Amino acid sequence: MGTIERKQRLKEEVRCRILDASWQIVQEEGWHALSMRKIADAIEYTAPIIYGYFENKDAILREFTQRGYQILSKTVKEARDQHTDPAEQMEAMWLAYWDFGYEHQAYYQLMYGVSVDCCQQEKMIPEAEETLNLLNETLGKLMAQSKHREQEDHCRRFYTFWSVVHGLISLNIVRKSSSLSLETNRSILFEAIHAIIADIKG
Amino acid sequence: MGTIERKQRLKEEVRCRILDASWQIVQEEGWHALSMRKIADAIEYTAPIIYGYFENKDAILREFTQRGYQILSKTVKEARDQHTDPAEQMEAMWLAYWDFGYEHQAYYQLMYGVSVDCCQQEKMIPEAEETLNLLNETLGKLMAQSKHREQEDHCRRFYTFWSVVHGLISLNIVRKSSSLSLETNRSILFEAIHAIIADIKG
DNA sequence: AATTTTGCTTAACGGTGTTAAAAAAACCTA
DNA sequence: TAGGTTTTTTTAACACCGTTAAGCAAAATT
């Protein structure tokens, strides 16, 4: 009866195949294209058997979410451990954080709810570009007051503004349960915006 | 027959009712719960008639996306027009931008692909909190070197870091077509992180 | 009044996640 | 090896989804 171990091994292998197949589908077609039947097809089974390995589809997504956080955690920790000075550590850690998001976009989408299948028609909607133009225009005037002339510089400043504001909004929406107070949000905004403006003014 | 105008009016009214019903469903249950059949139920019709008013479900979402951008554009413009100094304008505009995201979360989700139905189990995944703890810990050491003592301050600094990094990643993912170069991303990151660290050091 | 046009519904197709029953395969025992 | 038990896998079904085509009934036109 040693076969029980062999069965355990086979069961574990099928579990891996489910995750491997899922990951491949996601990489090729995105999260929206991941379905139980498609996974089953890929591992040459029928859909219901997956429920012997995962409670439901959400459990599969949860597995990947967990993997994402594990990789992120490991990455950030390693970045920290290559420095001793807290300031250098801080820099390395956030850079590592960004690198993770840049390299593992599929993970990041899942972990932080960044759905990609939206507003591709941004250029179809005039008001979308109009808003960006308004902000860009004013930024141009502001930078003209100083001696910034390069387009590159303009682009960077703009995205710095945009990133902090968009990031703050997004984090508030996604982390609805443990989100910040209105006052905290506003003071972060004020400080960040003023800092950027001050930096532009030189 | 002047009835043609009356019919036009009725058709327009049904279109409005579709959008009103859709919006109510979204407010009550979120975007994921919006379905053609549910909309039809709400306006006391059957699903296929909706296709007489909108090409498909995506067209309905596009309508709301457009509305969102219209409101945002109007808001930002109004904020600008209450000031004359570019620096003041810039501040007012980004604050208005944030206010929009805070007040109209449903719109913002649609416009920038912030799906809320994710990672609510963040606390279920130890590694998720571990990453935040690592970053918080190092930030604590960094701030201890200066004379920052308040918890409030700590929280603000942390979210400033997080917002700009998360925002930068998200914008890159969502605006995949017109995203920034790796060099631009890194220089934004470097500048922002160094600025925050410098500010902490005083 | 008969006919055309319009508005709406029913039915259907292919897809989704998920569950229960049926079938097939594997296993164990006699 | 034969028969019965257990495990594995599939088929069928349910309730949804977006979407399209056909059918029907009411309204408008001739």
Side-chain angles (χ1 to χ4, degrees), chain A residues 108 122 156 166 175 186-187, chain B residues 99 108 122 156 166 187:
Chain A
Y108 202 87
E122 195 180 275
R156 283 208 307 266
H166 171 69
R175 296 168 48 86
R186 293 207 81 84
S187 68
Chain B
D99 284 340
Y108 202 87
E122 192 179 277
R156 284 208 306 266
H166 171 69
S187 68

Side-chain angles (χ1 to χ4, degrees), chain A:
Chain A
M1 321 283 176
T3 53
I4 194 168
E5 290 172 8
R6 181 174 54 88
K7 281 195 179 177
Q8 195 68 30
R9 214 158 12 90
L10 281 176
K11 231 178 144 35
E12 195 59 39
E13 198 206 313
V14 172
R15 213 189 106 98
C16 280
R17 288 213 294 146
I18 291 172
L19 291 171
D20 289 350
S22 301
W23 190 245
Q24 193 171 343
I25 293 167
V26 169
Q27 292 293 353
E28 286 169 2
E29 309 175 63
W31 288 109
H32 70 278
L34 184 66
S35 80
M36 299 300 259
R37 285 178 176 83
K38 205 177 280 185
I39 297 170
D41 269 8
I43 62 172
E44 289 172 310
Y45 275 114
T46 50
I49 68 119
I50 302 177
Y51 292 86
Y53 301 88
F54 294 93
E55 195 190 341
N56 48 31
K57 188 183 175 184
D58 219 59
I60 298 178
L61 299 184
R62 203 157 48 234
E63 174 82 30
F64 284 114
T65 306
Q66 189 174 348
R67 287 190 180 189
Y69 277 115
Q70 283 169 351
I71 297 172
L72 176 61
S73 174
K74 186 164 165 278
T75 306
V76 169
K77 184 178 261 170
E78 283 174 358
R80 184 196 63 179
D81 292 344
Q82 288 180 355
H83 301 83
T84 51
D85 176 50
E88 285 175 22
Q89 284 179 329
M90 201 82 255
E91 177 191 334
M93 289 166 90
W94 284 113
L95 287 178
Y97 192 113
W98 183 86
D99 284 340
F100 169 83
Y102 190 80
E103 281 169 32
H104 304 94
Q105 302 207 359
Y107 278 127
Y108 202 87
Q109 284 173 46
L110 196 59
M111 293 157 68
Y112 289 103
V114 184
S115 56
V116 76
D117 44 309
C118 85
C119 61
Q120 232 54 352
Q121 61 278 82
E122 195 180 275
K123 280 154 196 161
M124 303 293 171
I125 300 174
E127 286 87 356
E129 247 180 321
E130 193 189 322
T131 306
L132 300 183
N133 288 342
L134 284 173
L135 292 161
N136 256 322
E137 206 179 285
T138 305
L139 177 59
K141 286 182 190 164
L142 177 60
M143 291 180 71
Q145 291 182 343
S146 307
K147 50 203 164 294
H148 305 84
R149 286 261 160 254
E150 307 129 37
Q151 180 65 27
E152 186 71 17
D153 218 44
H154 183 102
C155 177
R156 283 208 307 266
R157 305 291 190 179
F158 180 74
Y159 260 85
T160 307
F161 272 122
W162 201 7
S163 293
V164 66
V165 176
H166 171 69
L168 205 51
I169 294 171
S170 301
L171 287 175
N172 266 291
I173 293 176
V174 171
R175 296 168 48 86
K176 194 154 55 180
S177 58
S178 58
S179 70
L180 302 173
S181 70
L182 187 61
E183 295 81 35
T184 309
N185 269 307
R186 293 207 81 84
S187 68
I188 292 171
L189 262 179
F190 269 108
E191 282 184 24
I193 291 172
H194 286 160
I196 302 171
I197 291 176
D199 193 49
I200 291 175
K201 288 191 171 176

